[in-house]
Amino acid sequence: MSSQRLYQIVKTFLNFGLDKMVPAGMLPWYAKVGRQSLFWLRNKHKDKTPEQRFRLAIEALGPVFIKFGQMLSTRRDLLPPELADELALLQDKVTPFDGEQARQLIIEAMGADVFEKHFKDFDLIPLASASIAQVHTATLLTAEKDENIVIKVLRPDISKIILADIKVMSFNSVLRHL
């Protein structure tokens, strides 16, 4: 298990004040002690509603958490309407990563010469952005005519994040069987 990723998850939840969403009577004593021992991790988003903080925390944690939030948003029978509406924003309103970084990822994958030879008008502003990738428009240079295309670019380091989350989830399933 990645203890660094687990710490990042806890830190994100506390920085967004999600611990305040759990009724105090429902927290076991060790969770209360653990919270007090992490006193330097305070809610940095007090100006936002609890629903916004929950969505932003999920978004900050990456694709596995975003997929979870997307799934939750479809269960309006289980969630308060405000939370379901906020989580619905994860369906197609995920914050994009930098367009220049997307361009560089493509160039690294195919080489600068190939990129310059086959593409022009690469739009740095994504057409759409999701939890795992985003889409950019470009013009493909062909012998017959130039074609407008879309290029799907995976988020940087996405596989590392997904693998770390899977390790954390696997560790939790081991604990349940003890």
Side-chain angles (χ1 to χ4, degrees), residues 103-112:
R103 184 178 181 277
Q104 285 305 116
L105 288 169
I106 295 168
I107 290 171
E108 287 171 16
M110 65 176 32

Side-chain angles (χ1 to χ4, degrees), residues 62-126:
V64 172
F65 286 85
I66 292 170
K67 291 293 180 193
F68 175 68
Q70 289 170 341
M71 186 257 332
L72 274 179
S73 75
T74 65
R75 295 304 312 262
R76 293 185 172 271
D77 57 324
L78 300 176
L79 300 175
E82 301 83 19
L83 183 56
D85 291 343
E86 194 65 36
L87 291 176
L89 296 175
L90 295 172
Q91 297 293 347
D92 58 0
K93 302 260 193 276
V94 177
T95 305
F97 63 94
D98 182 54
E100 185 56 45
Q101 189 177 17
R103 184 178 181 277
Q104 285 305 116
L105 288 169
I106 295 168
I107 290 171
E108 287 171 16
M110 65 176 32
D113 294 339
V114 174
F115 183 84
E116 295 300 325
K117 181 178 177 184
H118 294 287
F119 297 102
K120 75 172 187 178
D121 300 329
F122 180 85
D123 191 355
L124 295 178
I125 299 172

